[in-house]
Amino acid sequence: MRGSEEHQHHSLVLRQGGERRLQPSGLQGRQRKRSRQGRGLLFENGITYAFAEQPFQGRTLQFTDPHGFQIELYATMEKRPHLLRRYDLYKGCHPPATRSFQRVRRRGSDTVDFYARLGFRLTEYGEEDGPNGRIAAAWMHRKGNVHDFAITNGKGPRLHHFAYWVPTAMNILHLCDVMASSGFLKNIERGPGRHGISNAFFLYVRDPDGHRLELYTGDYFTGDHDHEPLRWSLKDPRRQTLWGAPAPRSWFEQGSPFAGQAIREPLFVADVTIAD
């Protein structure tokens, strides 16, 4: 499956199986040279990696990062016709493209350091107050958007959600109408609302298998070379909810496990103020 403006063959793959598990998250590099640089970083960190031929994307580097997240790096993918102007095919909230995913992990700053060395840039982060404050959440990117992925503190490794960008807030409101009139009202988990972090206007839904999907719009450009990461205090509830109904407990406590990875307790429990 893919969004309307995506040229690549797919951005989401669904496979039938006996249990609800996630396969590796895929990241596309600009060229094969980047793949070689990635292998060097993996070797330095003692990480085992392998290559596999994957449908529609060819030779793919596969590894599990130091924190238990399964990752794929590939250089090219087969192209398909651009559908942005095929308005006759638009359904639901008209998602043009996947933009990000959020993972729950056990560590903080060392996770950020690893992905910074892989080439990602930090845009926003949540940190404990005080001289020895620990990072409890971080948003990182490669494309000039607010984030391609986020990492948050908690039991892990798990996927909190994956996200598709939509053009306007009205696309999200229209999706609420569609879900309410097509038997999926109970699948709306949280929102609509607006995050302080990323400024995103959001809606979270759960698919029939329980995986969480965010639809969002309204984030901002971070491609300026002197863009400085924005720090959020964990005592500031606006980072999570600028406005909107409080998040349910499921949003904080539930996530999708990765195949073959045991879920472990976090190495520290952050003292976080929750919006009410």
Side-chain angles (χ1 to χ4, degrees), residues 114-129:
F114 176 82
Y115 282 96
R117 294 185 64 195
L118 203 58
F120 289 87
R121 298 184 292 276
L122 182 67
T123 54
E124 301 192 22
Y125 63 101
E127 184 181 45
E128 295 175 319
D129 296 330

Side-chain angles (χ1 to χ4, degrees), residues 228-262:
E228 295 184 2
L230 175 63
R231 178 190 180 275
W232 289 86
S233 167
L234 299 185
K235 295 299 183 180
D236 187 347
R238 297 176 302 167
R239 77 197 186 287
Q240 172 206 103
T241 307
L242 191 64
W243 63 263
R249 292 186 63 88
S250 61
W251 192 85
F252 296 102
E253 298 177 354
Q254 297 176 8
S256 299
F258 288 89
Q261 293 291 322

Side-chain angles (χ1 to χ4, degrees), residues 95-116:
T98 183
R99 281 291 191 265
S100 67
F101 53 91
Q102 179 170 321
R103 301 174 298 182
V104 184
R105 50 83 179 112
R106 305 171 62 239
R107 297 178 179 270
S109 59
D110 52 350
T111 310
V112 175
D113 292 341
F114 176 82
Y115 282 96

Side-chain angles (χ1 to χ4, degrees), residues 23 48 57 76-77 84 86 89 117 125 130 142-143 147 153 163 180 190 193 205 250:
Q23 297 299 319
T48 300
Q57 65 191 48
T76 60
M77 183 182 287
L84 182 60
R86 286 296 309 273
L89 300 179
R117 294 185 64 195
Y125 63 101
R142 279 290 300 166
K143 302 191 297 290
H147 64 294
N153 186 61
R190 182 186 176 195
V205 302
S250 61

Side-chain angles (χ1 to χ4, degrees), residues 162-257:
F162 63 99
Y164 276 80
W165 172 79
V166 298
T168 72
M170 286 305 302
N171 294 88
I172 290 175
L173 296 179
H174 175 65
L175 178 63
C176 292
D177 287 335
V178 171
M179 294 183 71
S181 58
S182 58
F184 290 101
L185 180 61
K186 292 184 179 180
N187 292 73
I188 297 177
E189 181 185 33
R190 182 186 176 195
R194 187 178 295 280
H195 293 305
I197 289 176
S198 80
N199 196 54
F201 184 89
F202 66 83
L203 178 74
Y204 291 91
V205 302
R206 304 289 284 268
D207 74 12
D209 289 318
H211 300 299
R212 182 181 292 111
L213 166 64
E214 180 187 19
L215 292 310
Y216 78 96
T217 190
D219 57 341
Y220 58 91
F221 178 70
T222 63
D224 292 332
H225 70 277
D226 57 351
H227 176 83
E228 295 184 2
L230 175 63
R231 178 190 180 275
W232 289 86
S233 167
L234 299 185
K235 295 299 183 180
D236 187 347
R238 297 176 302 167
R239 77 197 186 287
Q240 172 206 103
T241 307
L242 191 64
W243 63 263
R249 292 186 63 88
S250 61
W251 192 85
F252 296 102
E253 298 177 354
Q254 297 176 8
S256 299

